[in-house]
Amino acid sequence: MSRRNRYSVPEYVAGIVKNDRQILSRAVTLVESTLPEDQRLAEELVEGVLSFTGNSLRIGVSGVPGVGKSTFIDRFGQLLIERGYRVAVLTVDPSSEAGKGSILGDKTRMEQLSTSPNAFIRPSPSSGILGGVSAKTRECSLLCEAAGYNIILIETIGVGQSETAVKGMVDFFLLLALAGAGDELQGIKKGIMEMADLIVINKADGENQKAVERAKGQLVEALHFFPKKENGWITEVSTCSSLMGVGMESIWNTIESFEEKMKINGFFYKNRALQRVHWMKEQIHLLLEVGFYSDKKMSKEIAQKKSLVQTGGKSALAAARELVEKYLYLNSIKE
Ligand code: GDP
């Protein structure tokens, strides 16, 4: 970000808290910046808004491309706004690496929702970013919360890795699914199903409706065999037509009931506390990695060990240990 576009941290915080959308947008851009001088400012900014955050419900929405995520969020988001909520939509898009293009970003999405003054839709940052997309999405959620968005929808494509990342930053995980040609559910992995608090079979309209009902029955049956979750919640199954706007209220009722139960049994807060600690650990990992690879005193040594490992002259294990030991030694404080 160029210098003239930057505000001071108090200016950012003041602007965000009074929901100045332009300042919020710029703050998100700052958080996504890869420039080292921006990283520090971004950190101060996140710290600065922290006391204004936490008053939202964070919902992950996942599903394979074409399942109807954007159509769903467009509709569902409108329902939430009708109920008086303010909605932010963030995307975690593992496909958006530099040069690869983005599955989520290359079409007009959420046309209705994007016109609402109570919605803030932010397309995915590219994953070339330090710390990966997920780290930035967490920070962006906090900025949105500070700006008064009380429902944060975090959207991701179902490719495995991104769901795990999103699960680690939301209160509720909604999986969108499709009934297959043979009425079975299309390509959902067991691990992803286990992660879900609610599985919604979309496109329950027209000729597809019967197939959806049968798929729902099979899914409910299959879920019986899943181990009980620690928080006591049993994964629910719903159907909807995002296109026709059918089934949205019932989905929201399920989410509200989840929130209420988890707040009563304490898991809501426990989960968030665990997520914050996990975030810190991720950040430690990241800082160490960045520090290690950008340490000029190490670059020659790293290159040497790399070629030794490549030729089989040294084991990867020994090389890694020796390099880390050297790095720690060089950076230890000498009295
Ligand atoms: P995404 O890739 O998961 O974001 O999916 P989209 O929201 O872009 O939807 C993919 C296609 O499915 C589009 O042509 C939508 O119009 C269509 N679609 C989405 N939801 C429904 C639905 O409930 N019923 C029907 N029949 N089509 C839908």
Side-chain angles (χ1 to χ4, degrees), residues 64-71 107 109 202-203 205 241-243:
V64 294
V67 71
K69 290 180 294 302
S70 42
T71 315
K107 55 187 167 172
R109 315 181 80 239
N202 190 31
K203 309 198 184 181
D205 46 49
S241 168
S242 304
L243 203 61

Side-chain angles (χ1 to χ4, degrees), residues 56-64 67-70 72-73 76 80 87-93 104 110 137-138 141 145 150-158 162-177 192-193 195-200 229 233 235-236 251-252 254-255 258 268 271-272 275:
S56 77
L57 187 66
R58 304 166 190 160
I59 304 171
V61 177
S62 180
V64 294
V67 71
K69 290 180 294 302
S70 42
F72 172 78
I73 292 175
F76 189 62
L80 297 175
V87 179
V89 182
L90 305 170
T91 55
V92 173
D93 182 353
L104 288 172
M110 303 158 205
T137 307
R138 276 204 187 93
S141 313
E145 285 179 19
N150 42 15
I151 306 259
I152 314 285
L153 298 174
I154 302 182
E155 179 196 13
T156 185
I157 300 181
S162 59
E163 280 102 334
T164 317
V166 169
K167 176 79 179 170
M169 60 179 99
V170 296
D171 307 306
F172 188 90
F173 191 83
L174 186 159
L175 180 67
L176 277 181
I192 308 286
M193 262 161 69
M195 254 185 237
D197 298 302
L198 171 65
I199 301 176
V200 179
K229 292 184 187 178
W233 180 257
T235 305
E236 293 205 8
I251 294 169
W252 178 238
T254 303
I255 297 175
F258 175 92
F268 188 90
N271 186 43
R272 282 200 170 181
Q275 287 177 344

